[in-house]
Amino acid sequence: MAEPRVVLYGVGYQGSLAARMLLERGVDIVGAIAQSDAKEGRDLGDVAGLGRTTGVIVRRDAAAVLSQSKPDIAVVAVTNPLPDHKPHLETCARAGVNAITISVESLYPWPSSPDIAEELDQVAKEHGVTITGTGFQDVFFVQMVADLMGAAHRIDRVVGRSVYDSDDGGPELARRFRIGTPAKLGGPSASTASRASAAPSSLGKTSLYALAAVTGLTVERVRSEHRIEIAAEPMKCKSLDRVVEPGQISGQTSIDRMFTREGVELVLEVTGQLAKPGMTGVTNDWTIHGDPTLKLITPEVPGDVGTCTQMINRIPDVISAEPGFITIDMLPPIRYRHSLHV
Amino acid sequence: MAEPRVVLYGVGYQGSLAARMLLERGVDIVGAIAQSDAKEGRDLGDVAGLGRTTGVIVRRDAAAVLSQSKPDIAVVAVTNPLPDHKPHLETCARAGVNAITISVESLYPWPSSPDIAEELDQVAKEHGVTITGTGFQDVFFVQMVADLMGAAHRIDRVVGRSVYDSDDGGPELARRFRIGTPAKLGGPSASTASRASAAPSSLGKTSLYALAAVTGLTVERVRSEHRIEIAAEPMKCKSLDRVVEPGQISGQTSIDRMFTREGVELVLEVTGQLAKPGMTGVTNDWTIHGDPTLKLITPEVPGDVGTCTQMINRIPDVISAEPGFITIDMLPPIRYRHSLHV
């Protein structure tokens, strides 16, 4: 039993949080990878804003860092969409290194990106390593909901509603959500404008697929809708450093409805929007409609920290798992790890 | 794959709920056992108030019912304290029948009743069957809390607070809690009076032991306190069919504090008391104090139904488990079962 040796793959906002948490837990960070030239050659403590040097130098050459440092696992926090994310997971696998990632789609990639999932599963198996996706959704959209469902005699519909501060996603998300642009550009309806924009993300749908897998339900079809949120009064957008005026887009909502062969409907509505005054953290409310009706509220979850903590608590599960692309339905439920020993 | 064949062991309030739910799920109830002469020889539908006959005749001779009907499992809902409960679980095991029970201490009997737990474990193993305890606590005090802990980087203290309507426990509980008796009988302090009375139950302590086992924490010691609740205004006690006057006992609270080697403190405060106006179901609030601080609320849980549903959803786990006294930390997390097929 020893603390795992970890490489940080990505030293942005989440990677920097992970650096702090891993060091506080006494974990040996044996390497750090960043994609930008600006980070290359600097001490991890400097890049991650830890207020001290760590002796770990951030490098751009991922394959070299992984092969030289021979870690037990790479903690991957880089670009999100799975097609862009795939080469990074592949680099880990080819270096013989397990990977835990917070890329949203990796929580359950089989239905949305079957080819990529299959390819990564193959390369992981060839090199005897595990790839797993986790994040905020693992506990809050999947495991706790699955548990609450365990107290039901009959379930008609499971409905989740979550609202997060879009500023947590930085300028990239603000631009993807078209925050601050007119809600009715050139006259199309809000709904058309919304369809024309990038979808809010696969967060909801992927989480529902994972929930169905964890609870043994058979998915028949999914219906997804998107909605733009419009500012009713001036709102501060921190990540774009500007004020969003009434009538401009203030966020986006995705609504996914999953229909299962067992007759249980799973619904998740996720809104990312500029925080209204008094909003603290992520709201996360679920209702199980059936016999009996059951409710779950986890108020004011810090979404950023709650994502990183789960990535870290999953480390022992991933190191111990069978090789392949192992989704959370194939792992034990996530647990607090006083120690990350395996 | 087939629906399990079930014997109802106990046809009181919970057993009757279980009868309804099992029949609604299409499960084959192949026998029913009751302890009272008044139920002997009557149809289960009559005893359980199902509004129809079932063809299953309630019998007092448990061993005979079990050996003649050869069920896959007995759903046990009889007397609660483990020493009184033990002979019933033993009867099931000796008949070669798995048992799932809602007796409170059976959720995790090892620390409080090691001899009984060991003896039942032995007899279960000898006969190749499984004994498991479940109930309201499985989802609400253990699994969901364990999951939420999975989103924490550092945990200092986990604090649960639950309040249930003592009338749900019927006249037996009302008398055990001394509801309606003077709070200061003969002059002792409330705290002394409380110690002299029966403890509110091992509900809290047993649940914390199960939570520690599920989350891999090592218990060092437990400190338990009891408190009586005193009516401030006249309150209706349905189960005793009387009004409790101000100054009389209206309920009891147990507070259990568990200290672990890992430095995580687990605290559960459970109050059973006469329902105040507007109180619906069981309140159940948890806070994880640490980094980050996390909260969980499951409002208005119907405690009676939520106990029975878990006993039923656990059936496939128990049938599939290894022989012995198998506590929930040794089983997969509880799940909603669209079908009870094994």
Side-chain angles (χ1 to χ4, degrees), chain B residues 199-238:
Chain B
S201 90
S202 55
L203 188 68
K205 190 153 57 177
T206 304
S207 302
L208 291 184
Y209 272 114
L211 178 59
V214 163
T215 56
L217 296 170
T218 318
V219 180
E220 286 191 329
R221 64 198 169 87
V222 181
R223 207 174 66 211
S224 300
E225 296 166 49
H226 300 127
R227 185 177 73 216
I228 54 173
E229 302 296 333
I230 300 169
E233 52 200 334
M235 300 180 89
K236 179 85 190 140
C237 178
K238 281 175 285 181

Side-chain angles (χ1 to χ4, degrees), chain B residues 67-211:
Chain B
S67 66
Q68 283 157 23
S69 59
K70 301 193 190 342
D72 298 303
I73 191 163
V75 164
V76 184
V78 288
T79 53
N80 214 329
L82 192 54
D84 304 342
H85 198 69
K86 173 176 172 264
H88 303 294
L89 296 175
E90 222 171 332
T91 301
C92 293
R94 292 196 189 286
V97 173
N98 300 300
I100 175 84
T101 172
I102 50 171
S103 109
V104 166
E105 205 184 331
S106 296
L107 188 76
Y108 203 79
W110 312 103
S112 50
S113 299
D115 295 348
I116 295 178
E118 181 62 33
E119 224 180 299
L120 287 169
D121 185 53
Q122 279 306 321
V123 72
K125 281 175 177 157
E126 276 165 31
H127 294 83
V129 299
T130 305
I131 299 171
T132 296
T134 183
F136 184 86
Q137 318 90 285
D138 196 342
V139 163
F140 294 101
F141 293 172
V142 181
Q143 308 282 1
M144 293 185 78
V145 182
D147 282 345
L148 187 61
M149 290 167 72
H153 167 51
R154 192 195 74 244
I155 300 181
D156 302 323
R157 210 161 61 250
V158 178
V159 181
R161 176 90 182 91
S162 185
V163 181
Y164 67 92
D165 181 351
S166 57
D167 266 337
D168 285 350
E172 194 225 347
L173 188 73
R175 278 189 287 266
R176 191 150 61 85
F177 279 6
R178 303 195 300 125
I179 283 174
T181 64
K184 296 194 177 192
L185 190 66
S189 73
S191 144
T192 313
S194 165
R195 274 200 302 278
S197 79
S201 90
S202 55
L203 188 68
K205 190 153 57 177
T206 304
S207 302
L208 291 184
Y209 272 114
L211 178 59

Side-chain angles (χ1 to χ4, degrees), chain A residues 82 104-122 124-125 131-133 206 209-210 213 323-330:
Chain A
L82 192 55
V104 165
E105 204 185 331
S106 296
L107 188 76
Y108 203 78
W110 311 105
S112 50
S113 299
D115 295 348
I116 294 178
E118 180 61 33
E119 225 180 297
L120 287 169
D121 185 53
Q122 279 307 318
K125 282 177 177 156
I131 299 170
T132 296
T206 304
Y209 272 114
F325 202 127
I326 303 293
T327 45
I328 58 168
D329 54 306
M330 304 154 84

Side-chain angles (χ1 to χ4, degrees), chain A residues 141-189:
Chain A
F141 293 172
V142 181
Q143 307 282 1
M144 293 184 80
V145 182
D147 284 344
L148 187 60
M149 289 167 71
H153 167 51
R154 192 196 73 244
I155 301 180
D156 302 323
R157 208 160 63 249
V158 178
V159 180
R161 176 91 182 90
S162 184
V163 181
Y164 66 93
D165 182 351
S166 57
D167 266 338
D168 285 351
E172 194 225 347
L173 188 73
R175 279 189 286 266
R176 190 150 61 85
F177 279 7
R178 302 196 302 125
I179 284 174
T181 64
K184 297 194 176 192
L185 189 67
S189 73

Side-chain angles (χ1 to χ4, degrees), chain A residues 24 147 150-151 153 297 309 335, chain B residues 24 147 151 153 297 309 313 335:
Chain A
E24 283 178 9
D147 284 344
H153 167 51
I297 303 166
T309 53
R335 292 288 174 251
Chain B
E24 283 178 8
D147 282 345
H153 167 51
I297 303 164
T309 54
N313 282 328
R335 291 290 173 249

Side-chain angles (χ1 to χ4, degrees), chain A residues 73-76 85 89 97-103 105-109 120 124 129-135 138 310-311 314-315 317-332:
Chain A
I73 192 164
V75 164
V76 184
H85 198 70
L89 297 175
V97 174
N98 300 299
I100 175 83
T101 173
I102 50 171
S103 109
E105 204 185 331
S106 296
L107 188 76
Y108 203 78
L120 287 169
V129 298
T130 305
I131 299 170
T132 296
T134 182
D138 195 342
Q310 297 189 48
M311 178 164 60
R314 274 294 188 198
I315 288 175
D317 294 333
V318 177
I319 294 177
S320 306
E322 293 295 301
F325 202 127
I326 303 293
T327 45
I328 58 168
D329 54 306
M330 304 154 84
L331 292 178

